[in-house]
Amino acid sequence: MTSTPTDPANADFLALEEIHAAALRALPAEVAGYLESGAGTEQTLRANREAFTRWVIRPRPMSGVTAPDTSTQVLGIPLSLPVLTAPFGGDGLFAPDGHLAVARANAACGTASIVPEVGTFSYAEVAAAAPAAARIGQLHPYESFDSVAKRIRAAGYTALCVTVDCPVMGFRVRSRMSRFRPDPVVWSGNVVHDGTPNITETYGNRIVQSWTWDRLTEAAARQDLPWIAKGILTSEAAEQAIGAGASAILVSNHGGRQVDPAAASLDVLPGIVETVAGRVPVLLDSGVRTGADVFLALALGADAVVIGRLAAYGLAAAGEHGVRRTIELLTEELRTLMILAGTPDIPSVAPATVARRAPL
Ligand SMILES: Cc1cc2nc3c(=O)[nH]c(=O)nc-3n(C[C@H](O)[C@H](O)[C@H](O)COP(=O)(O)O)c2cc1C
């Protein structure tokens, strides 16, 4: 029997857009709205995609490259592809096994997960499902930071990812208008009732105490793990994050879900890469939808990219299989472009391989 993209269990998805379409067919309207929407009037959300259209790849005919090597590493974590999956909360809304499935798909592909604090499953559950992929635990700079970081370390993770752009949830107009209030269980995988205020209650009530870099410096120094500063959009913030001890920077506007209007991640990447000047790795997320986007981000100085919605589309379309096909298709597309651009490996995807699109 042949499978079709409408047979999710083993659908033979042949393009990422097929997975996106299948995800939108599978999800209830308000969940699709939660996934697809951004903050405010969604200018940042749109800008993230538009930024990728301002660059072109410079082909290199007759380069002799036939089997490009897409492997790399970030913070000592080996990756078959310079891609990690993002910490997206509420994952059980997209498929019952949420980030368990994402991590299993990553393990099968040789990539890795950044596992969210407000996910449906605990750090330990995701690590048990796929220890090879559950490498980075995301958390918020918040009162429970020490105890949450301790649980991440105890579950065997290699690094922390501290979300610095979310002292309060962005003003999410579409979710407000759809009265989107799912069962809190989808955010509660890491909620423990130990007397300290927990993240889901406090976010719900909008009473999170906003931290400073000084406070984060101290809290992060108490942990015995390298950490990524997630949500950097300016050179000043990159400098402050490095000053606070960050081991990597994630250039991100949270997929357009926080500040609106804000700069597209890709637009600010080259300036931040220049400021960072090789002191720590620089990652990018927000708006990555294709292998070409991965190529452009690497060429503009990212060491790896992080995929949020793209991974969630795979999850919603066909669970673990859908995420796995997403990563496989990203790999195939990136490899194709690396051959056409004559880049044999990831370090050779350098600024000289791209150019600004000529104005119309
Ligand atoms: C449904 C959804 C939930 C998210 N939840 C979180 C979260 O709990 N913590 C966090 O740091 N980022 C969260 N993000 C942001 C992602 O980690 C990432 O920055 C963003 O999705 C990247 O943009 P992209 O979706 O265009 O790839 C979420 C994103 C989405 C789409």
Side-chain angles (χ1 to χ4, degrees):
M1 201 181 84
T2 55
S3 63
T4 70
T6 51
D7 170 14
N10 55 2
D12 185 20
F13 298 115
L14 293 181
L16 289 164
E17 198 41 52
E18 232 167 47
I19 297 179
H20 186 199
L24 295 184
R25 277 196 305 273
L27 292 175
E30 71 279 9
V31 176
Y34 161 68
L35 175 58
E36 295 282 66
S37 61
T41 55
E42 303 190 340
Q43 293 182 56
T44 311
L45 184 70
R46 289 189 291 277
N48 282 337
R49 293 298 303 136
E50 285 160 13
F52 285 97
T53 69
R54 287 193 279 275
W55 294 91
V56 295
I57 297 169
R58 300 177 67 235
R60 202 153 69 89
M62 309 301 291
S63 70
V65 174
T66 19
D69 177 5
T70 60
S71 67
T72 188
Q73 61 83 30
V74 169
L75 298 177
I77 301 167
L79 299 170
S80 64
L81 181 74
V83 169
L84 298 127
T85 56
F88 55 88
D91 41 301
L93 291 163
F94 308 129
D97 50 358
H99 274 287
L100 306 180
V102 175
R104 287 187 187 116
N106 275 320
C109 294
T111 42
S113 292
I114 308 179
V115 177
E117 180 172 10
V118 294
T120 308
F121 299 93
S122 69
Y123 302 114
E125 286 170 319
V126 181
R135 301 299 298 268
I136 304 173
Q138 176 270 337
L139 75 172
H140 297 82
Y142 175 59
E143 223 167 304
S144 50
F145 188 91
D146 281 66
S147 73
V148 175
K150 206 164 142 194
R151 277 185 275 135
I152 293 173
R153 194 174 48 242
Y157 288 74
T158 309
L160 304 175
C161 172
V162 183
T163 297
V164 299
D165 65 357
C166 199
V168 61
M169 283 248 291
F171 199 87
R172 312 263 171 92
V173 175
R174 267 206 260 174
S175 289
R176 282 170 173 250
M177 289 176 68
S178 71
R179 306 298 187 269
F180 183 62
R181 288 187 201 98
D183 184 336
V185 77
V186 300
W187 324 112
S188 303
N190 284 304
V191 168
V192 292
H193 297 283
D194 63 356
T196 50
N198 73 60
I199 189 94
T200 53
E201 286 157 14
T202 46
Y203 266 124
N205 297 330
R206 296 183 165 260
I207 51 156
V208 177
Q209 170 69 47
S210 191
W211 276 28
T212 61
W213 287 112
D214 285 345
R215 189 159 177 196
L216 180 56
T217 305
E218 283 171 28
R222 286 194 292 272
Q223 318 311 322
D224 201 13
L225 289 173
W227 59 280
I228 303 170
K230 176 178 187 286
I232 301 297
L233 283 179
T234 63
S235 288
E236 305 92 89
E239 204 58 77
Q240 285 165 316
I242 293 173
S247 311
I249 301 290
L250 173 45
V251 177
S252 167
N253 57 35
H254 216 110
R257 298 165 82 85
Q258 287 298 104
V259 178
D260 184 85
S265 293
L266 194 76
D267 283 340
V268 295
L269 176 69
I272 293 177
V273 167
E274 200 182 327
T275 300
V276 170
R279 285 175 288 170
V280 296
V282 177
L283 315 181
L284 171 131
D285 80 21
S286 301
V288 174
R289 297 289 181 275
T290 66
D293 298 342
V294 177
F295 189 105
L296 293 177
L298 296 179
L300 294 175
D303 291 284
V305 305
V306 176
I307 53 168
R309 291 184 184 81
L310 212 49
Y313 297 154
L315 187 59
E320 178 185 337
H321 171 70
V323 181
R324 189 172 169 163
R325 282 304 290 147
T326 299
I327 298 164
E328 287 170 353
L329 288 166
L330 269 182
T331 308
E332 207 178 316
E333 198 176 339
L334 179 65
R335 283 171 55 88
T336 302
L337 288 168
M338 287 175 72
I339 294 169
L340 296 174
T343 51
D345 52 23
I346 295 302
S348 62
V349 184
T353 62
V354 296
R356 282 264 178 204
R357 181 179 289 286
L360 288 175

